[in-house]
Amino acid sequence: MATLSVTAPQRSVLGGAMIIGGTIIGAGMFSLPVVMSGAWFFWSVAALIFTWFCMLHSGLMILEANLNYPVGSSFNTVTGDLLGKHWNRLNGITIAFVLYILTYAYISASGSVIQHTLREMSVSFSPRLGGLLTALVVAFIVWLSTRAVSRMTAIVLGAKIIAFFLTFGSLLWHVKPVNLLNNVEINPSYMPYVLATLPFCLASFGYHGNVPSLMKYYGKNPLIIKKCLLLGTLMALGLYIIWMLGTMGNIPRPEFISIAERGGNIDVLVQSLSQILNSAGLDLLLTIFSNFAVACSFLGVTLGLFDYLADLFKFNDSRTGRFKTALVTFVPPIIGGVIYPDGFIYAIGFAGLAATVWAVIVPALMARASRQRFGSPLYRVWGGNKMIVLVLLFGVLNAAVHILSSANLLPVYR
């Protein structure tokens, strides 16, 4: 039977919502305007809302299952008990893959952002070297301690929030309806490109590993945690829509073709916005925001990967143990970043494919198994089995879309 006690002191819902929103919103948002340019604004917003709905409910399904276990039980513990060792092994592999691929993505992104920043100062700099140096700095911070990461993340997050509001206020001021409504193209087609956006939308709503952490923070209080997930994910959805409005309202749709052809990395998008708006102040804000966005995401993802690998390989928390963990954490993605520095967009797409398993399919199966064993005495996601089926179908659809895209069987906006 589930433990029905274990309550934590009353804590603000806003704190948990900020944890969820802060986890979701990161450098991955820079991929959205590029990959969604074919579907354009209104269809892209529809795809984001649909993805938000499914990802919110898959997170609630993790909560439903987790509530039947002692506070502190990890995602892997619950998965292994409810679904067995094979599903747990697959779940672990996909989690590690997502964290590794995102670490590589942020090495790629940091290299391009540093190159763009220094280019504005008339300094030539290799994106490979920029990514390598950034990775080494982050590795040193993560190796020092979790406390060092926490302090650095707090500083970077505060700066990112300030830069965010300053940047988006300026972007929205320059929005042109002729761009947003795409009046420059004759008889444009949007709907064929919607499916290809789904894996990127999914990767942009990843927070599911934080659900057990919220239960540790709030205790077995499903109503409070549900509010945290709802507010945090809505915060991310709103900011994504504002970001799409700011970019697509300033850059004409045909311009995104050349952005994609140049790799679609962060520096290319920022440079295009700067050239079109011809504003030195906005260019500076975009550059500052992109630097802080990458740094914040980089620290959060690598800390998660570091802790996961330390537990997996049973490395202790000594200086030597943390050094071993740092090597396993950073060396593979650094090699990838040096060999192929322009893989940001592709990496985010592959992260969406792997996240389909552990953030969508596994939670739905966990909720089903949990109801069969425990009956969900503390909390049950609304919608019954139909909601479970919807989330499962969403996961299968995302996996199929990525496979079709990889085989060049889906239309690409060119």
Side-chain angles (χ1 to χ4, degrees), residues 343-365:
F344 179 69
I345 293 292
Y346 300 103
I348 295 295
F350 277 108
L353 173 63
T356 298
V357 176
W358 71 272
V360 183
I361 295 175
V362 166
L365 295 176

Side-chain angles (χ1 to χ4, degrees), residues 30 33-34 37 40 112 116 119-120 171 174 176 179 243 246-280 282-284 286-287 290:
F30 284 88
V34 181
S37 56
W40 208 233
S112 68
H116 174 76
R119 187 192 299 134
E120 296 299 304
L171 275 179
H174 291 86
K176 296 180 177 62
N179 290 333
W243 172 237
T247 50
M248 293 182 174
N250 283 289
I251 302 176
R253 188 181 185 224
E255 293 289 328
F256 280 98
I257 297 176
S258 64
I259 293 174
E261 288 174 346
R262 286 182 284 163
N265 220 322
I266 293 177
D267 64 320
V268 181
L269 180 62
V270 171
Q271 186 179 11
S272 298
L273 278 169
S274 302
Q275 289 174 348
I276 289 173
L277 297 175
N278 194 26
S279 169
L282 184 55
D283 183 25
L284 178 62
L286 281 166
T287 301
S290 60

Side-chain angles (χ1 to χ4, degrees), residues 156-347:
V156 173
L157 180 60
K160 185 178 83 169
I161 291 172
I162 294 171
F164 178 88
F165 285 107
L166 291 174
T167 302
F168 284 87
S170 300
L171 275 179
L172 294 179
W173 181 259
H174 291 86
V175 166
K176 296 180 177 62
V178 65
N179 290 333
L180 199 62
L181 300 175
N182 191 30
N183 293 335
V184 298
E185 292 185 287
I186 301 173
N187 297 323
S189 178
Y190 305 116
M191 195 171 179
Y193 306 107
V194 175
L195 277 179
T197 68
L198 292 179
F200 294 90
C201 293
L202 187 152
S204 299
F205 280 100
Y207 66 91
H208 297 67
N210 294 93
V211 176
S213 301
L214 287 185
M215 202 169 85
K216 288 175 65 177
Y217 188 65
Y218 291 103
K220 290 194 174 184
N221 195 333
L223 294 181
I224 294 293
I225 299 173
K226 178 182 175 181
K227 289 179 182 178
C228 293
L229 300 188
L230 178 62
L231 291 176
T233 55
L234 276 175
M235 182 193 312
L237 175 65
L239 293 179
Y240 286 158
I241 292 174
I242 293 172
W243 172 237
M244 301 297 287
L245 180 65
T247 50
M248 293 182 174
N250 283 289
I251 302 176
R253 188 181 185 224
E255 293 289 328
F256 280 98
I257 297 176
S258 64
I259 293 174
E261 288 174 346
R262 286 182 284 163
N265 220 322
I266 293 177
D267 64 320
V268 181
L269 180 62
V270 171
Q271 186 179 11
S272 298
L273 278 169
S274 302
Q275 289 174 348
I276 289 173
L277 297 175
N278 194 26
S279 169
L282 184 55
D283 183 25
L284 178 62
L285 286 174
L286 281 166
T287 301
I288 292 172
F289 174 70
S290 60
N291 275 282
F292 285 128
V294 171
C296 197
S297 300
F298 205 162
L299 285 165
V301 167
T302 51
L303 179 62
L305 179 59
F306 184 94
D307 290 339
Y308 178 83
L309 293 174
D311 180 60
L312 179 66
F313 293 110
K314 307 304 178 186
F315 293 139
N316 60 39
D317 205 39
S318 66
R319 293 290 187 185
T320 303
R322 291 183 71 85
F323 182 73
K324 293 177 183 177
T325 309
L327 287 178
V328 178
T329 301
F330 288 95
V331 169
I334 283 176
I335 293 173
V338 171
I339 294 173
Y340 188 62
D342 295 321
F344 179 69
I345 293 292
Y346 300 103

Side-chain angles (χ1 to χ4, degrees), residues 32-151:
L32 293 179
V34 181
V35 299
M36 291 181 153
S37 56
W40 208 233
F41 181 72
F42 296 104
W43 280 105
S44 295
V45 169
L48 283 169
I49 292 174
F50 176 61
T51 301
W52 161 79
F53 180 84
C54 293
M55 293 295 276
L56 169 63
H57 285 83
S58 67
L60 292 173
M61 288 174 185
I62 296 175
L63 173 63
E64 177 182 333
N66 222 111
L67 284 165
N68 294 297
Y69 292 84
V71 171
S73 299
S74 69
F75 193 3
N76 285 342
T77 298
V78 179
T79 304
D81 186 57
L82 287 175
L83 303 181
K85 63 180 182 179
H86 297 300
W87 271 108
N88 195 37
R89 188 176 296 116
L90 176 62
N91 190 56
I93 291 171
T94 55
I95 290 173
F97 179 81
V98 168
L99 294 176
Y100 262 125
I101 205 73
L102 287 177
T103 300
Y104 160 74
Y106 294 137
I107 290 174
S108 168
S110 62
S112 68
V113 167
I114 289 173
Q115 182 191 40
H116 174 76
T117 303
L118 294 177
R119 187 192 299 134
E120 296 299 304
M121 304 175 188
S122 301
V123 177
S124 179
F125 203 79
S126 166
R128 285 184 173 87
L129 182 58
L132 174 62
L133 293 177
T134 305
L136 292 176
V137 170
V138 172
F140 176 72
I141 295 171
V142 173
W143 169 76
L144 281 176
S145 67
T146 301
R147 187 178 183 183
V149 176
S150 176
R151 287 183 173 179

